[in-house]
Amino acid sequence: MSSYLNQQVLVLNRLWQAVNICTARRALTLLFQGHAQVVFGTADGSFRTFDFCEWHDFSRQEPHTESIHTVSFKIRVPRVIMLLIFDRLPKKEVKFTRLNIFERDRNTCQYCGSIFDRRDLNLDHVIPRDRGGPTSWENIVCSCIPCNTRKANQTPQEAGMQLIRKPKRPKWRPFVQVNLGFHYHESWKHFLDLAYWNVELGEGL
Ligand SMILES: [Zn+2]
């Protein structure tokens, strides 16, 4: 059939977050099975969703060059679809690693707020280990050596120090698996910009 079947389609989850890229072939299958809807930008800058029948009608009403002809019908190739089958982001926990803690804390000492080379940063137990502080996302932060020395075996409160932000488990980047090093279609821009702005920076890959 048509090479349009291999065209890339941006996949959004139900929160309208970009999660993947698939081929038009896959997108049309998902659409036909009722697992996805087409997301289409209208002239006024808003977005409409279409299920398979609606999209089929729309394809007929407004013929477009990027259409696939089959024996029985003709359907326009979508550029963006939204999955109906997943409520959440793909479940991928960020591994609890030294690297990912540095990533989460953006190489910034969580006490003085300065950025350091990784080799000049320690990992600090906020509540000291021998006081029952766990080794967890919520209790481990990056600390520079002077701050680490000053804090020693005390809680931040005892040391008169304050964390610049509360440590927590990072959420996985919604758009992590997609390599954007290629030219993408104009209709993706809105969602990619959203993905860009919604990504918490410095979270682990
Ligand atoms: Zn410091």
Side-chain angles (χ1 to χ4, degrees), residues 93-110:
E93 295 229 313
V94 183
K95 280 191 192 149
F96 183 57
T97 63
R98 176 176 289 268
L99 179 68
N100 284 339
I101 295 164
F102 285 133
E103 287 287 327
R104 180 197 65 182
D105 291 349
R106 304 173 210 181
N107 301 333
T108 304
C109 170
Q110 296 299 295

Side-chain angles (χ1 to χ4, degrees), residues 61-126:
Q61 287 155 17
E62 296 191 34
H64 192 269
T65 50
E66 295 176 4
S67 296
I68 291 165
H69 303 255
T70 69
V71 179
S72 53
F73 65 86
K74 183 172 147 179
I75 196 158
R76 182 167 170 174
V77 175
R79 289 292 191 172
V80 182
I81 60 167
M82 177 174 59
L83 289 175
L84 302 173
I85 41 181
F86 299 113
D87 261 320
R88 292 161 204 282
L89 301 174
K91 261 222 184 307
K92 274 209 176 156
E93 295 229 313
V94 183
K95 280 191 192 149
F96 183 57
T97 63
R98 176 176 289 268
L99 179 68
N100 284 339
I101 295 164
F102 285 133
E103 287 287 327
R104 180 197 65 182
D105 291 349
R106 304 173 210 181
N107 301 333
T108 304
C109 170
Q110 296 299 295
Y111 295 104
C112 66
S114 304
I115 298 171
F116 290 87
D117 264 10
R118 286 186 177 171
R119 63 169 179 270
D120 296 324
L121 283 169
N122 285 335
L123 295 183
D124 174 65
H125 282 78
V126 178

Side-chain angles (χ1 to χ4, degrees), residues 102-205:
F102 285 133
E103 287 287 327
R104 180 197 65 182
D105 291 349
R106 304 173 210 181
N107 301 333
T108 304
C109 170
Q110 296 299 295
Y111 295 104
C112 66
S114 304
I115 298 171
F116 290 87
D117 264 10
R118 286 186 177 171
R119 63 169 179 270
D120 296 324
L121 283 169
N122 285 335
L123 295 183
D124 174 65
H125 282 78
V126 178
I127 307 292
R129 211 183 334 204
D130 59 11
R131 313 263 296 265
T135 302
S136 66
W137 282 114
E138 294 77 16
N139 195 49
I140 297 280
V141 295
C142 284
S143 163
C144 71
I145 293 158
C147 286
N148 208 228
T149 307
R150 188 182 142 198
K151 182 169 172 280
N153 206 29
Q154 305 170 89
T155 65
Q157 203 179 12
E158 288 164 356
M161 297 164 85
Q162 223 175 4
L163 286 167
I164 59 172
R165 64 177 186 154
K166 195 170 146 56
K168 52 186 182 189
R169 174 186 295 276
K171 293 187 202 95
W172 193 262
R173 298 176 186 222
F175 208 57
V176 70
Q177 289 131 325
V178 182
N179 171 17
L180 291 176
F182 56 85
H183 181 75
Y184 52 83
H185 192 259
E186 184 60 23
S187 62
W188 291 14
K189 194 175 177 311
H190 174 80
F191 300 102
L192 298 183
D193 285 353
L194 271 186
Y196 175 79
W197 290 111
N198 286 330
V199 164
E200 281 185 60
L201 296 175
E203 287 178 3
L205 277 172

